[in-house]
Amino acid sequence: MDNSKFKGLFSALLTPFGKNGEIKYDSIKSLVDFNIANGIDGFYVGGSTGEGLLLTNEERKEVFKCVKEAAGSRVTLIAHVGSISTKAAQDMAKCAESLGYDAISAVAPFYYSFPLQAILGYYNDIANSAELPMIIYNFPASSGFSLTKDVANELFKNEKFIGIKHTSGDMFAINGFKNLNRDIIVYNGFDETLLAGLAMGADGAIGSTYNFMGKKFKQIINDFKAGNLEKAQKGQNEADEIITEMIKYGVFQSEKAVLTEMGVDMGECRKPFLPISDECRASMKKVAQKLMSE
Ligand code: MN9
């Protein structure tokens, strides 16, 4: 299988909400165009950044539909269908398939501390429910499940599995995933360590800050590939200064504030996330001005 369309820089698409928590579908469309204009290679829809687990299953499918309508076939689309219910995830996987998505992805089922056999069953059941490639979303800090090389080798016996989104600071794990029994795509998941992930062999990245720093991160990737490590480090350092500022006010709130300043009205996060504070807006206004002047 030709996996080239799965390599590159993917935005974990944010979901904009109005004051009463309603989804702002028009803003989703603007955000899709904004990202594509900045050179993004694809979208990861309805994941952590998209507040996917704060949406109803019907809303998650509506968002998949809206993004597909907006993006068409211009970029690669990955639908995050992860849920603590296998059945709900399978239903969303079938929806993504019918809409023409390129792949599905799922975080491990959480909350009940499922045993390993149950987690393996969950992944195979979801992957086998649709004719789409599957990307495992490895996010140990939130799911409580940390994918190992051995378990990955077990899962990747199923040909449907093509990659891993690795959202963890464990860079050694990337080495393991790049040396499985067969070749797979590995995405770096934390934007603040993209350069480290590339150095360990990551094929691409999926992240939230690419929604508004797509150009900057593309440059980092190009500099890395050209062997210009010093320049790549400088770019990563500039991005990390911004991410450090965002962590103070809440990453998703800050991202929405920045994008709103940049002309895409992103509204608020959904409860129980807190509203965007005035301090956050003031700080992100400066960040937006800096980014727009570059
Ligand atoms: O999808 C995102 N992870 C989470 C990846 O939101 C949990 C990252 O892009 C982070 O938001 C980003 C800031 O920590 O690296």
Side-chain angles (χ1 to χ4, degrees):
M1 180 180 166
D2 175 18
N3 279 343
S4 55
K5 70 174 169 184
F6 291 110
K7 297 188 177 174
L9 193 67
F10 285 61
S11 283
L13 204 68
L14 289 149
T15 305
F17 297 101
K19 284 264 178 282
N20 298 316
E22 72 281 10
I23 298 171
K24 291 160 73 78
Y25 288 100
D26 286 347
S27 293
I28 294 180
K29 292 185 174 157
S30 310
L31 183 61
V32 164
D33 286 337
F34 181 83
N35 269 286
I36 295 176
N38 284 309
I40 285 297
D41 299 302
F43 294 110
Y44 189 85
V45 186
S48 311
T49 302
E51 297 172 63
L53 295 156
L54 298 179
L55 304 181
T56 67
N57 294 338
E58 284 314 304
E59 286 175 326
R60 289 175 72 173
K61 293 192 275 185
E62 280 303 312
V63 171
F64 291 162
K65 184 162 172 269
C66 175
V67 174
K68 178 64 190 176
E69 280 171 7
S73 303
R74 290 185 286 169
V75 292
T76 303
L77 297 181
I78 305 168
H80 175 257
V81 303
S83 164
I84 64 169
S85 153
T86 300
K87 190 171 181 299
Q90 287 176 317
D91 178 51
M92 284 182 270
K94 287 193 191 92
C95 170
E97 180 184 5
S98 73
L99 289 169
Y101 270 66
D102 298 287
I104 51 171
S105 180
V107 73
F110 46 93
Y111 189 78
Y112 288 110
S113 304
F114 294 107
L116 178 60
Q117 287 308 319
I119 294 173
L120 296 178
Y122 162 91
Y123 273 115
N124 280 305
D125 286 342
I126 298 169
N128 293 336
S129 71
E131 292 302 315
L132 286 179
M134 160 67 99
I135 293 160
I136 297 170
Y137 182 9
N138 185 41
F139 189 10
S142 277
S143 68
F145 172 72
S146 184
L147 188 66
T148 62
K149 182 180 179 185
D150 287 347
V151 171
N153 265 324
E154 188 60 34
L155 283 168
F156 280 83
K157 283 180 187 162
N158 184 339
E159 287 294 320
K160 286 257 176 63
F161 290 78
I162 62 154
I164 300 171
K165 164 170 153 56
H166 182 61
T167 301
S168 158
D170 179 0
M171 292 293 135
F172 182 32
I174 296 183
N175 173 270
F177 299 150
K178 283 310 296 177
N179 288 286
L180 296 184
N181 297 336
R182 68 178 165 88
D183 235 16
I184 66 159
I185 306 263
V186 177
Y187 295 99
N188 187 78
F190 277 130
D191 318 358
E192 47 276 43
T193 54
L194 171 69
L195 188 54
L198 292 175
M200 291 307 290
D203 305 278
I206 298 172
S208 63
T209 67
Y210 313 142
N211 280 283
F212 61 95
M213 290 199 281
K215 277 188 191 154
K216 194 182 260 308
F217 277 102
K218 275 260 155 160
Q219 189 60 48
I220 294 172
I221 294 171
N222 290 341
D223 290 335
F224 172 79
K225 284 188 179 159
N228 197 343
L229 208 55
E230 218 170 299
K231 188 149 176 272
Q233 279 172 343
K234 188 172 173 284
Q236 181 75 66
N237 192 51
E238 285 168 9
D240 285 0
E241 270 179 33
I242 292 173
I243 295 174
T244 303
E245 187 66 9
M246 290 171 30
I247 290 170
K248 283 189 208 162
Y249 306 104
V251 171
F252 304 146
Q253 286 93 336
S254 300
E255 289 171 343
K256 288 180 178 180
V258 167
L259 281 158
T260 300
E261 287 293 334
M262 293 173 102
V264 187
D265 175 14
M266 293 298 293
E268 292 280 346
C269 291
R270 194 171 250 190
K271 284 181 178 178
F273 277 119
L274 294 171
I276 303 173
S277 67
D278 293 344
E279 294 78 16
C280 174
R281 290 215 189 269
S283 168
M284 291 307 128
K285 188 172 183 170
K286 286 188 205 140
V287 170
Q289 279 164 350
K290 182 171 182 291
L291 288 172
M292 287 188 296
S293 71
E294 283 177 0

